[in-house]
Amino acid sequence: MGEPVTVNIPHKLGLAEAKNRIGSGVHTLSDIIPGASLTGHHWEGDHLHFTLEAVGQRIVSDMHVREDEVFAVFDLPPMLAMFANKIKAKLMKEAPKMLE
């Protein structure tokens, strides 16, 4: 079983603008994990579902966009779970840039 990495990203943009900025910056998510590529993404309401692949491993992820925060969940497979703390630190640093 993998390990979920979660991050709350507060913002003051409102729901529509936060969704717009996340949608425009979704391609940058692959920069969070070295060697990763974004292999798919789609919206379901205010939830962005996306998949990253790195070193032959699939990372199924979601971003729940809310009026004042974005709640991100990256479900790391066992092989990448040992890097959970490093990935979370990078997410906390880089993910807010999507909302700038």
Side-chain angles (χ1 to χ4, degrees):
M1 175 167 267
E3 180 170 332
V5 171
T6 61
V7 176
N8 284 319
I9 308 159
H11 66 81
K12 296 180 181 183
L13 300 170
L15 181 64
E17 183 61 21
K19 280 181 67 175
N20 183 46
R21 292 186 189 189
I22 294 286
S24 296
V26 69
H27 64 280
T28 65
L29 290 169
S30 60
D31 297 339
I32 302 289
I33 300 169
S37 61
L38 180 68
T39 58
H41 67 283
H42 69 278
W43 286 97
E44 284 184 17
D46 299 332
H47 297 237
L48 174 63
H49 303 278
F50 58 98
T51 305
L52 299 169
E53 290 193 24
V55 294
Q57 301 293 302
R58 178 173 284 188
I59 304 163
V60 177
S61 309
D62 294 293
M63 283 193 174
H64 306 275
V65 182
R66 299 176 180 144
E67 192 68 32
D68 60 353
E69 74 174 350
V70 176
F71 179 69
V73 179
F74 286 69
D75 191 15
L76 300 178
M79 185 175 163
L80 295 175
M82 68 179 104
F83 301 108
N85 289 335
K86 289 183 180 185
I87 291 170
K88 184 169 185 163
K90 187 145 186 186
L91 271 170
M92 291 175 68
K93 180 181 175 187
E94 300 296 327
K97 293 177 183 178
M98 291 178 66
L99 296 170
E100 291 178 348

